[in-house]
Amino acid sequence: MMVVEERISRILAEMAEDLRPLPDPYQRARAGLRRRRRRQLMGLGLAAVTLLSATGAVVAGGSARRVDETAVREPDPGWPQVVEWARRLADSPRRGAVAADRGYVAAVEGKLLEDHRRGSIGPAGTALSNVRVLFADDVGDHRVALVALVRADPAPNEWPAAATWLVAPKGTGAAELASSVRGVSDALEPYMTLREQGYYVGIAPAGCEFASAAWPLVKDWKDEPTGSYLVRTGATLRPEWWRVTCGGLVKEMTPGPGGLHGQSLMDANMAELAASARRGPVPAAWREAIFNFASGVGYEVTALPRAIWAGRITGTVPGLDGSYDGQAKVVAAPAVGGGWIGEVQITYDHVNPVTNSVGTAIRFTVSGFDPTDPDTTVAVPLGDRDKARSILVIAPRGASHIVAYRSEGPLATAPVVDGAAVLPVPASADVGVRALTPSGENLAFVPPGDWMRPSLAVSSWGL
């Protein structure tokens, strides 16, 4: 009888002969991925869904090493458009009832400019041509202002203006408000937000229009009366999404704050949420993973996350943050607009010596199937698309081996161990996977890119 390894070799040879290039309908998804990766490098920090490569480091004994954003910024054809939108925001008329008081605004701007000259506020070592209050109003019990600190001579890869939010009690005078700096950001971005407990402020360039739509359908969009900015307080915050349209083009679409992460709600449903796990611990041991994902994903999903798989992963290709080897839990929830959003949460075997992190969380999306179904194949890239990386594959029932391939032929094969496999793949490969039975039969087939879906969230200031 032919042994399993011989059958696998035969299947690989047949695949190399039969595979043909497949049409790729996922240009939009990959473009979204590149935009989100660019924001990580540029420091845009805009609220949006990252498809496959957004990682959040869990830091041990302090914060991760700060990276010089200008040093790592990659050349990008979208950068001039982002800069232009940021400049438009810096030049926009002032908004908010308090901003209409010219004397008050002049006093705030004057004090901030003087504080910068004395070196008491940033950006350090940068000459400013102007300080502009872009928004000032009483929001609930607070007086809130957004201020642009306009650079006199920005470098080609530098933001035209830095930014700071000022937050003080409602009715605060100009001098006190100017002293209530909530830190200084290196970037006044095209879309600026302040999310605080009980209120939210979002601001876009003049001429843009905000609209809102109720969660979870996110279909019936209604224009906001404030136009190019949006304010929510405890009395008006609700489950919803927001959209910013500029010149007829959607530039930003993102969920509002909040989500389905109430502890009592999760505890009441934990047994059911953990029941979908193909492999893993008792229900109580899933609580942290489900809660952490639900807290981060917010109203991007329509229901509480469910368990998919838990176990140890080894043999991963090291990325910028080192090896991904460690203990992993995989969870997912149905996404607004269709498909599913999931997350692989990894606790590393060893603390990363570069970032000082003890783990990471990697988002992924799928469409066309329910990843909590034990008969489906879930594939998640671990690492940067532009580097050699690994793919974690949660195997369907009955699979003994997983084969990674692309249109030219097979790339790698690995046995299924405890319901999963890890396979190395080269950089920039549009990779598909096949799950094979012990007899070498095709159990499941995932074409290249089929684990991706275009995100409903949008952040397209660079287009």
Side-chain angles (χ1 to χ4, degrees), residues 284-463:
W286 282 99
R287 186 179 187 278
E288 182 179 6
I290 291 175
F291 179 80
N292 287 343
F293 178 53
S295 299
V297 77
Y299 290 123
E300 297 173 28
V301 299
T302 61
L304 287 169
R306 293 179 174 273
I308 295 179
W309 178 86
R312 177 169 171 72
I313 57 176
T314 59
T316 60
V317 176
L320 294 176
D321 293 335
S323 171
Y324 292 95
D325 288 6
Q327 297 293 330
K329 287 187 174 75
V330 183
V331 297
V336 168
W340 289 69
I341 300 175
E343 189 170 80
V344 180
Q345 299 176 15
I346 304 172
T347 302
Y348 297 147
D349 286 340
H350 306 285
V351 175
N352 183 280
V354 177
T355 62
N356 200 34
S357 57
V358 298
T360 190
I362 302 172
R363 288 274 185 95
F364 65 93
T365 63
V366 298
S367 61
F369 67 93
D370 177 353
T372 66
D373 181 344
D375 292 322
T376 60
T377 304
V378 181
V380 185
L382 307 177
D384 195 313
R385 175 185 171 82
D386 296 333
K387 311 286 184 183
R389 57 181 176 170
S390 302
I391 293 181
L392 170 65
V393 180
I394 313 303
R397 287 185 295 195
S400 65
H401 282 73
I402 302 294
V403 177
Y405 72 94
R406 54 182 172 184
S407 56
E408 294 85 356
L411 295 170
T413 182
V416 174
V417 178
D418 294 332
V422 175
L423 300 94
V425 296
S428 303
D430 289 326
V431 180
V433 296
R434 290 180 186 268
L436 305 180
T437 66
S439 62
E441 297 176 357
N442 224 1
L443 183 62
F445 168 65
V446 182
D450 256 22
W451 50 65
M452 296 174 63
R453 58 174 285 273
S455 173
L456 185 66
V458 171
S459 189
S460 59
W461 300 98
L463 298 181

Side-chain angles (χ1 to χ4, degrees), residues 57 66 70 92 97 108 111 155 187 189 198 244 274 306 377 379 406 409 413:
R66 188 176 186 275
T70 60
S92 294
V108 171
K111 185 177 188 308
E189 303 163 11
V244 179
R306 293 179 174 273
T377 304
R406 54 182 172 184
T413 182

Side-chain angles (χ1 to χ4, degrees), residues 28 191 209-225 230 232 238-245 250-256 299 336-337 455-458:
R28 178 183 168 192
Y191 176 58
E209 298 289 336
F210 269 89
S212 59
W215 174 91
L217 295 180
V218 190
K219 289 184 177 181
D220 184 17
W221 291 96
K222 297 180 180 179
D223 292 338
E224 288 292 317
L230 177 141
R232 291 288 189 265
R238 57 186 180 271
E240 61 182 348
W241 278 54
W242 299 318
R243 184 181 69 190
V244 179
T245 304
V250 175
K251 290 296 184 181
E252 192 79 25
M253 192 156 72
T254 184
Y299 290 123
V336 168
S455 173
L456 185 66
V458 171

Side-chain angles (χ1 to χ4, degrees), residues 9-33:
S9 298
R10 185 192 64 190
I11 294 296
L12 292 175
E14 292 173 354
M15 288 172 61
E17 294 176 359
D18 296 339
L19 286 171
R20 298 290 183 270
L22 298 175
D24 182 3
Y26 297 99
Q27 293 292 342
R28 178 183 168 192
R30 286 203 298 272
L33 174 59

Side-chain angles (χ1 to χ4, degrees), residues 122-123 134 146-151 161-165 181-189 192:
L134 302 179
L146 173 65
V147 181
L149 307 169
V150 184
R151 291 183 169 88
T164 184
W165 288 96
V181 175
R182 286 290 183 94
V184 175
S185 168
D186 186 59
L188 178 77
E189 303 163 11
M192 294 295 294

